Amino acid sequence: MADAAPRLQSLLEQVLGVPLPVRIRAWDGSQAGPPGTPVLVVRNRRALRRLLWKPGELGLARAWVAGELEVEGDFYAVLDLVAGLVWERGENTRGALEALRDPGVRSAVAGLFRLAGPGLPPAPPCEEVRRPGHLHTRRTDRRAISHHYDVGNDFYELVLGPSMVYSCAYWQAADEGATLEDAQRDKLELVSRKLGLSSGQRLLDVGCGWGSMAIHAAREHGVSVVGVTLSQEQAAYARKRVADEGLTDRVEIRVQDYRDIADGPYDAISSIGMAEHVGAEKYLEYAQELHALLKPGGRLLNHQIARRPQDDETAYRVDAFIDAYVFPDGELQPVGVTVTQLERAGFEVRDVESLREHYALTLRRWVTNLEAGRDRAVRLAGPGRSRVWHLYMAACALAFEHNRIGVNQVLAVRTAAPGDSGLPLRPRTWH
């Protein structure tokens, strides 16, 4: 008799203490749960073993990446519904231990182990990063960047579209008529205006990606640009784009750590979606390095994802799925901490703009691109890596929408003596 889904539903509801908000279809073809809701397909009982041995986010992510879980229906709705029940609860070790004191919960957990079948949990999917040791050395930073960005330029073209910009776009409106390419061009122009770029200046683009900011600044504003990245694949792609644009006399792309740049001063520095890789312990050093590379009166535009502050900051832990599969060694900090560290390094912070909703819109467009090109994405990056990116981008879109994380552009100045910022009294003319 096919009854795995009803048993699984009953046992999970006993453990969680609430009705399951999604329908379940199990590996034996049985179904259970509210009709008319999205369906969580448990294709193999190995998924249960992963969750039981590693409750919460990481176990769920491993089952998803391995293809043992599927979703039929609205993917965002399932993530939203499941996140509060399994994803987030599983990370609360104290709460889980408290729940296990209940005999009914212990009995249900034992039932889940029986349903999952004998054996230890399967090995993690090959897409999961193995920890290399010390964080944020030059070697481990190169390895982390390579894991995330050296997936294949063709794969990123499919996801990002022709703009090849891997940070949030700047949307004039949320309507369907706005294109991702237009919104990304507007973001690059927004950064250029905030930096006050003009012909003859030198711009350093830290974490230059596939060269979009460097090309835009050189082509539209006449500046000379040095772009640095730790990704060999990004650098090769960016150099070809620069050559195709006829900008080799104004744009240089280097594979170089920001800590090794020694040819300042620059008139301006853009750091777009790069500082998340720096790490909390190294952030002041990062800010000091950039400050030293700017001439007096030079501007820094730091575009960075931020998390919400916690009452106990020592309890902060890096998101397990993101750390293991997406951004190894990446760390987020509250925007107030970023501002403080920049000021400690000697900068004067002149403007902070939140683009939180803009990133949610951008991520949904990337997810749409990935879903539309799913078969090609699998051919380019493999099924596991494609599933990583699908989960990561959709979950992040919801996190931005629900204000669990944000993204901010911080404009800072290396103030010239005796305190001249070089900015007009009302600088927000860049809009």
PDB file of all heavy atoms in Angstrom, residues 4-5 8 27 49 80 85 142 144 214 226-227 249 267 289 301 336 350 361 371 394 429 431:
ATOM      1  N   ALA A   4       3.332   6.485   2.062  1.00  0.00           N
ATOM      2  CA  ALA A   4       4.451   7.255   2.612  1.00  0.00           C
ATOM      3  C   ALA A   4       4.073   8.710   2.850  1.00  0.00           C
ATOM      4  O   ALA A   4       4.441   9.301   3.874  1.00  0.00           O
ATOM      5  CB  ALA A   4       5.660   7.160   1.679  1.00  0.00           C
ATOM      6  N   ALA A   5       3.327   9.327   1.918  1.00  0.00           N
ATOM      7  CA  ALA A   5       3.000  10.746   2.055  1.00  0.00           C
ATOM      8  C   ALA A   5       2.107  11.017   3.263  1.00  0.00           C
ATOM      9  O   ALA A   5       2.398  11.943   4.040  1.00  0.00           O
ATOM     10  CB  ALA A   5       2.354  11.259   0.765  1.00  0.00           C
ATOM     11  N   LEU A   8       4.251  10.645   6.300  1.00  0.00           N
ATOM     12  CA  LEU A   8       5.205  11.754   6.398  1.00  0.00           C
ATOM     13  C   LEU A   8       4.513  13.031   6.848  1.00  0.00           C
ATOM     14  O   LEU A   8       5.028  13.752   7.722  1.00  0.00           O
ATOM     15  CB  LEU A   8       5.877  11.967   5.034  1.00  0.00           C
ATOM     16  CG  LEU A   8       6.929  13.071   4.932  1.00  0.00           C
ATOM     17  CD1 LEU A   8       8.034  12.867   5.943  1.00  0.00           C
ATOM     18  CD2 LEU A   8       7.503  13.121   3.518  1.00  0.00           C
ATOM     19  N   TRP A  27       7.844   9.299  -2.682  1.00  0.00           N
ATOM     20  CA  TRP A  27       8.540   8.453  -3.640  1.00  0.00           C
ATOM     21  C   TRP A  27       7.707   7.245  -4.092  1.00  0.00           C
ATOM     22  O   TRP A  27       7.976   6.677  -5.139  1.00  0.00           O
ATOM     23  CB  TRP A  27       9.860   7.971  -3.039  1.00  0.00           C
ATOM     24  CG  TRP A  27       9.693   7.303  -1.711  1.00  0.00           C
ATOM     25  CD1 TRP A  27       9.469   5.971  -1.467  1.00  0.00           C
ATOM     26  CD2 TRP A  27       9.697   7.942  -0.428  1.00  0.00           C
ATOM     27  NE1 TRP A  27       9.345   5.737  -0.128  1.00  0.00           N
ATOM     28  CE2 TRP A  27       9.483   6.926   0.543  1.00  0.00           C
ATOM     29  CE3 TRP A  27       9.874   9.263   0.006  1.00  0.00           C
ATOM     30  CZ2 TRP A  27       9.440   7.191   1.915  1.00  0.00           C
ATOM     31  CZ3 TRP A  27       9.838   9.530   1.360  1.00  0.00           C
ATOM     32  CH2 TRP A  27       9.621   8.510   2.308  1.00  0.00           C
ATOM     33  N   ARG A  49      16.659  11.286   5.222  1.00  0.00           N
ATOM     34  CA  ARG A  49      17.876  11.029   5.991  1.00  0.00           C
ATOM     35  C   ARG A  49      18.743  12.277   6.077  1.00  0.00           C
ATOM     36  O   ARG A  49      19.350  12.564   7.106  1.00  0.00           O
ATOM     37  CB  ARG A  49      18.647   9.857   5.373  1.00  0.00           C
ATOM     38  CG  ARG A  49      17.928   8.522   5.516  1.00  0.00           C
ATOM     39  CD  ARG A  49      18.888   7.346   5.513  1.00  0.00           C
ATOM     40  NE  ARG A  49      19.538   7.159   4.232  1.00  0.00           N
ATOM     41  CZ  ARG A  49      19.006   6.462   3.227  1.00  0.00           C
ATOM     42  NH1 ARG A  49      17.803   5.928   3.358  1.00  0.00           N
ATOM     43  NH2 ARG A  49      19.656   6.314   2.097  1.00  0.00           N
ATOM     44  N   ASP A  80       8.497  30.332   0.665  1.00  0.00           N
ATOM     45  CA  ASP A  80       7.940  31.176   1.714  1.00  0.00           C
ATOM     46  C   ASP A  80       7.253  30.345   2.795  1.00  0.00           C
ATOM     47  O   ASP A  80       7.406  30.594   3.990  1.00  0.00           O
ATOM     48  CB  ASP A  80       6.930  32.154   1.101  1.00  0.00           C
ATOM     49  CG  ASP A  80       7.209  33.598   1.491  1.00  0.00           C
ATOM     50  OD1 ASP A  80       8.199  33.834   2.215  1.00  0.00           O
ATOM     51  OD2 ASP A  80       6.452  34.479   1.066  1.00  0.00           O
ATOM     52  N   LEU A  85       8.859  26.949   8.662  1.00  0.00           N
ATOM     53  CA  LEU A  85       8.595  25.694   9.356  1.00  0.00           C
ATOM     54  C   LEU A  85       9.832  24.836   9.532  1.00  0.00           C
ATOM     55  O   LEU A  85      10.068  24.276  10.594  1.00  0.00           O
ATOM     56  CB  LEU A  85       7.543  24.886   8.567  1.00  0.00           C
ATOM     57  CG  LEU A  85       6.148  25.508   8.488  1.00  0.00           C
ATOM     58  CD1 LEU A  85       5.243  24.626   7.658  1.00  0.00           C
ATOM     59  CD2 LEU A  85       5.575  25.694   9.886  1.00  0.00           C
ATOM     60  N   ARG A 142      40.973  33.608  -3.289  1.00  0.00           N
ATOM     61  CA  ARG A 142      40.989  33.220  -4.700  1.00  0.00           C
ATOM     62  C   ARG A 142      40.159  31.965  -4.922  1.00  0.00           C
ATOM     63  O   ARG A 142      39.423  31.847  -5.904  1.00  0.00           O
ATOM     64  CB  ARG A 142      42.438  32.977  -5.170  1.00  0.00           C
ATOM     65  CG  ARG A 142      43.221  34.243  -5.459  1.00  0.00           C
ATOM     66  CD  ARG A 142      44.484  33.928  -6.264  1.00  0.00           C
ATOM     67  NE  ARG A 142      45.358  32.978  -5.584  1.00  0.00           N
ATOM     68  CZ  ARG A 142      46.306  33.303  -4.727  1.00  0.00           C
ATOM     69  NH1 ARG A 142      46.508  34.581  -4.423  1.00  0.00           N
ATOM     70  NH2 ARG A 142      47.065  32.371  -4.168  1.00  0.00           N
ATOM     71  N   ALA A 144      37.631  30.868  -3.083  1.00  0.00           N
ATOM     72  CA  ALA A 144      36.214  31.166  -2.896  1.00  0.00           C
ATOM     73  C   ALA A 144      35.637  31.888  -4.115  1.00  0.00           C
ATOM     74  O   ALA A 144      34.535  31.582  -4.579  1.00  0.00           O
ATOM     75  CB  ALA A 144      36.016  32.016  -1.634  1.00  0.00           C
ATOM     76  N   ALA A 214      33.477  49.084 -15.912  1.00  0.00           N
ATOM     77  CA  ALA A 214      34.678  49.666 -16.526  1.00  0.00           C
ATOM     78  C   ALA A 214      34.379  50.158 -17.934  1.00  0.00           C
ATOM     79  O   ALA A 214      34.777  51.269 -18.326  1.00  0.00           O
ATOM     80  CB  ALA A 214      35.804  48.631 -16.544  1.00  0.00           C
ATOM     81  N   VAL A 226      41.017  50.973 -14.337  1.00  0.00           N
ATOM     82  CA  VAL A 226      41.661  49.716 -13.980  1.00  0.00           C
ATOM     83  C   VAL A 226      40.612  48.881 -13.259  1.00  0.00           C
ATOM     84  O   VAL A 226      40.059  49.310 -12.242  1.00  0.00           O
ATOM     85  CB  VAL A 226      42.885  49.919 -13.075  1.00  0.00           C
ATOM     86  CG1 VAL A 226      43.393  48.570 -12.545  1.00  0.00           C
ATOM     87  CG2 VAL A 226      43.992  50.645 -13.828  1.00  0.00           C
ATOM     88  N   GLY A 227      40.309  47.706 -13.809  1.00  0.00           N
ATOM     89  CA  GLY A 227      39.377  46.785 -13.164  1.00  0.00           C
ATOM     90  C   GLY A 227      40.123  45.576 -12.649  1.00  0.00           C
ATOM     91  O   GLY A 227      40.960  45.009 -13.365  1.00  0.00           O
ATOM     92  N   ASP A 249      42.804  51.172 -24.950  1.00  0.00           N
ATOM     93  CA  ASP A 249      43.682  52.271 -24.545  1.00  0.00           C
ATOM     94  C   ASP A 249      43.210  52.930 -23.264  1.00  0.00           C
ATOM     95  O   ASP A 249      43.959  53.705 -22.650  1.00  0.00           O
ATOM     96  CB  ASP A 249      43.766  53.318 -25.658  1.00  0.00           C
ATOM     97  CG  ASP A 249      42.408  53.923 -26.001  1.00  0.00           C
ATOM     98  OD1 ASP A 249      41.388  53.204 -25.871  1.00  0.00           O
ATOM     99  OD2 ASP A 249      42.350  55.102 -26.401  1.00  0.00           O
ATOM    100  N   ASP A 267      41.200  58.874  -8.928  1.00  0.00           N
ATOM    101  CA  ASP A 267      40.203  59.919  -8.676  1.00  0.00           C
ATOM    102  C   ASP A 267      38.928  59.354  -8.065  1.00  0.00           C
ATOM    103  O   ASP A 267      38.218  60.065  -7.342  1.00  0.00           O
ATOM    104  CB  ASP A 267      39.836  60.629  -9.990  1.00  0.00           C
ATOM    105  CG  ASP A 267      41.029  61.333 -10.604  1.00  0.00           C
ATOM    106  OD1 ASP A 267      41.371  62.426 -10.125  1.00  0.00           O
ATOM    107  OD2 ASP A 267      41.626  60.773 -11.546  1.00  0.00           O
ATOM    108  N   GLU A 289      42.789  50.278   2.734  1.00  0.00           N
ATOM    109  CA  GLU A 289      43.474  50.115   1.447  1.00  0.00           C
ATOM    110  C   GLU A 289      42.846  51.018   0.388  1.00  0.00           C
ATOM    111  O   GLU A 289      43.557  51.680  -0.382  1.00  0.00           O
ATOM    112  CB  GLU A 289      43.404  48.653   1.000  1.00  0.00           C
ATOM    113  CG  GLU A 289      44.196  47.681   1.860  1.00  0.00           C
ATOM    114  CD  GLU A 289      45.672  47.659   1.501  1.00  0.00           C
ATOM    115  OE1 GLU A 289      46.076  48.331   0.542  1.00  0.00           O
ATOM    116  OE2 GLU A 289      46.428  46.942   2.198  1.00  0.00           O
ATOM    117  N   LEU A 301      32.410  54.690  -4.143  1.00  0.00           N
ATOM    118  CA  LEU A 301      31.022  54.219  -4.152  1.00  0.00           C
ATOM    119  C   LEU A 301      31.051  52.741  -3.795  1.00  0.00           C
ATOM    120  O   LEU A 301      31.525  51.904  -4.565  1.00  0.00           O
ATOM    121  CB  LEU A 301      30.364  54.443  -5.518  1.00  0.00           C
ATOM    122  CG  LEU A 301      28.845  54.284  -5.624  1.00  0.00           C
ATOM    123  CD1 LEU A 301      28.397  52.823  -5.577  1.00  0.00           C
ATOM    124  CD2 LEU A 301      28.123  55.061  -4.517  1.00  0.00           C
ATOM    125  N   GLY A 336      25.095  50.019   9.226  1.00  0.00           N
ATOM    126  CA  GLY A 336      25.717  50.917  10.208  1.00  0.00           C
ATOM    127  C   GLY A 336      27.148  50.540  10.514  1.00  0.00           C
ATOM    128  O   GLY A 336      28.007  51.407  10.717  1.00  0.00           O
ATOM    129  N   ARG A 350      29.033  60.462   2.850  1.00  0.00           N
ATOM    130  CA  ARG A 350      28.208  61.590   2.420  1.00  0.00           C
ATOM    131  C   ARG A 350      26.786  61.205   2.019  1.00  0.00           C
ATOM    132  O   ARG A 350      25.897  62.043   2.003  1.00  0.00           O
ATOM    133  CB  ARG A 350      28.877  62.284   1.222  1.00  0.00           C
ATOM    134  CG  ARG A 350      30.234  62.872   1.535  1.00  0.00           C
ATOM    135  CD  ARG A 350      30.124  64.003   2.526  1.00  0.00           C
ATOM    136  NE  ARG A 350      29.227  65.046   2.070  1.00  0.00           N
ATOM    137  CZ  ARG A 350      29.454  66.359   2.168  1.00  0.00           C
ATOM    138  NH1 ARG A 350      30.578  66.778   2.720  1.00  0.00           N
ATOM    139  NH2 ARG A 350      28.591  67.234   1.733  1.00  0.00           N
ATOM    140  N   LEU A 361      13.557  42.817  -7.380  1.00  0.00           N
ATOM    141  CA  LEU A 361      13.105  42.820  -8.774  1.00  0.00           C
ATOM    142  C   LEU A 361      14.155  42.201  -9.691  1.00  0.00           C
ATOM    143  O   LEU A 361      13.844  41.432 -10.611  1.00  0.00           O
ATOM    144  CB  LEU A 361      12.806  44.250  -9.222  1.00  0.00           C
ATOM    145  CG  LEU A 361      11.585  44.920  -8.598  1.00  0.00           C
ATOM    146  CD1 LEU A 361      11.582  46.417  -8.924  1.00  0.00           C
ATOM    147  CD2 LEU A 361      10.294  44.270  -9.099  1.00  0.00           C
ATOM    148  N   GLU A 371      14.945  29.870 -15.400  1.00  0.00           N
ATOM    149  CA  GLU A 371      13.858  28.921 -15.635  1.00  0.00           C
ATOM    150  C   GLU A 371      13.580  28.770 -17.135  1.00  0.00           C
ATOM    151  O   GLU A 371      13.311  27.670 -17.613  1.00  0.00           O
ATOM    152  CB  GLU A 371      12.604  29.372 -14.893  1.00  0.00           C
ATOM    153  CG  GLU A 371      12.722  29.242 -13.370  1.00  0.00           C
ATOM    154  CD  GLU A 371      11.521  29.796 -12.634  1.00  0.00           C
ATOM    155  OE1 GLU A 371      10.748  30.588 -13.247  1.00  0.00           O
ATOM    156  OE2 GLU A 371      11.345  29.458 -11.455  1.00  0.00           O
ATOM    157  N   ALA A 394      16.072  32.629  -5.895  1.00  0.00           N
ATOM    158  CA  ALA A 394      14.673  32.760  -5.484  1.00  0.00           C
ATOM    159  C   ALA A 394      14.571  33.051  -3.990  1.00  0.00           C
ATOM    160  O   ALA A 394      13.777  33.907  -3.566  1.00  0.00           O
ATOM    161  CB  ALA A 394      13.917  31.486  -5.831  1.00  0.00           C
ATOM    162  N   THR A 429      21.791  65.331  -7.261  1.00  0.00           N
ATOM    163  CA  THR A 429      21.399  65.645  -8.636  1.00  0.00           C
ATOM    164  C   THR A 429      21.625  64.459  -9.556  1.00  0.00           C
ATOM    165  O   THR A 429      21.242  64.509 -10.717  1.00  0.00           O
ATOM    166  CB  THR A 429      22.215  66.846  -9.148  1.00  0.00           C
ATOM    167  OG1 THR A 429      23.609  66.545  -9.005  1.00  0.00           O
ATOM    168  CG2 THR A 429      21.884  68.099  -8.366  1.00  0.00           C
ATOM    169  N   HIS A 431      20.191  61.711  -9.634  1.00  0.00           N
ATOM    170  CA  HIS A 431      18.955  61.024 -10.014  1.00  0.00           C
ATOM    171  C   HIS A 431      18.323  61.652 -11.244  1.00  0.00           C
ATOM    172  O   HIS A 431      17.404  61.106 -11.799  1.00  0.00           O
ATOM    173  CB  HIS A 431      17.960  61.031  -8.869  1.00  0.00           C
ATOM    174  CG  HIS A 431      18.425  60.201  -7.691  1.00  0.00           C
ATOM    175  ND1 HIS A 431      18.422  58.837  -7.712  1.00  0.00           N
ATOM    176  CD2 HIS A 431      18.940  60.569  -6.493  1.00  0.00           C
ATOM    177  CE1 HIS A 431      18.891  58.380  -6.559  1.00  0.00           C
ATOM    178  NE2 HIS A 431      19.222  59.397  -5.820  1.00  0.00           N
TER     179      HIS A 431
END
